[in-house]
Amino acid sequence: MEPLVDIVLEDDRWDAFGLEPLADRALRAALEELDLPATGFTLCLMACDDARIAALNGDFRGKAKATNVLSWPSEERGSHDEGDKPDRPDPGPADDPEHLGDIAISYDTCMAEAKAAGKPAADHVTHLVIHALLHLLGYDHIREADATLMEGIEVRALARLGLSDPYL
């Protein structure tokens, strides 16, 4: 099975956490929910800390503060019409998979959010990885109908993994 995600480990706590297999499972579940193949696609996931993600958030979004996850799609796929599905990417060949984009995730913020919500850290991180992948695929949650569409996919992908609805 070809690796779907290339992990750039900037914080060793993520390695001990088991991010790589968790992310792979989460991404595959989300692609399956969208009826997209897990082969033919790739993405990069940078596993970092609050200091690094705060710098990235400042550089790219003008918000110099830590956040849980950031996404940079390889191309714009979003729909112009509220509530419509984004353009579907075409998978590449096995030797040259379609790059969907890049994600950064912060250990400190993810663990703090999971603790504050009283939920297992693995469940929260799984949700955030799926959420970030959907952003790479053109989904968003700024407009209400878009948020409903995106959250529905997240909930169904998490259910495939036996995880509960994070929005309840």
Side-chain angles (χ1 to χ4, degrees):
M1 188 161 49
E2 288 293 315
L4 175 61
V5 60
D6 178 29
I7 303 278
V8 175
L9 200 62
E10 289 198 358
D11 186 321
D12 290 337
R13 294 176 294 176
W14 280 117
D15 195 33
F17 181 80
L19 180 62
E20 190 164 3
L22 181 150
D24 190 70
R25 281 185 65 233
L27 296 166
R28 289 176 189 281
L31 289 171
E32 185 178 327
E33 180 57 37
L34 293 167
D35 199 28
L36 287 169
T39 56
F41 296 111
T42 187
L43 61 95
C44 182
L45 174 60
M46 181 176 62
C48 62
D49 62 14
D50 270 0
R52 179 72 162 124
I53 210 160
L56 291 168
N57 203 18
D59 290 347
F60 290 97
R61 298 179 64 224
K63 299 178 180 182
K65 64 179 184 173
T67 189
N68 50 21
V69 67
L70 294 170
S71 303
W72 295 270
S74 60
E75 63 183 70
E76 175 55 46
R77 296 180 177 92
S79 173
H80 295 291
D81 297 322
E82 185 173 351
D84 281 356
K85 293 179 182 178
D87 295 334
R88 293 171 61 88
D90 293 321
D95 61 344
D96 188 23
E98 175 69 23
H99 184 70
L100 297 175
D102 303 316
I103 297 168
I105 190 165
S106 172
Y107 186 89
D108 304 300
T109 297
C110 289
M111 296 307 126
E113 288 175 347
K115 183 177 180 181
K119 63 174 70 173
D123 293 3
H124 185 55
V125 171
T126 298
H127 175 216
L128 291 173
V129 169
I130 290 170
H131 183 87
L133 171 65
L134 294 179
H135 278 307
L136 297 184
L137 294 171
Y139 291 88
D140 208 341
H141 45 82
I142 294 171
R143 301 177 299 189
E144 188 174 336
D146 294 337
T148 299
L149 176 65
M150 184 174 182
E151 290 169 10
I153 295 165
E154 290 171 9
V155 168
R156 291 189 304 275
L158 289 165
R160 288 177 180 273
L161 299 170
L163 302 179
S164 61
D165 182 343
Y167 297 105
L168 292 178

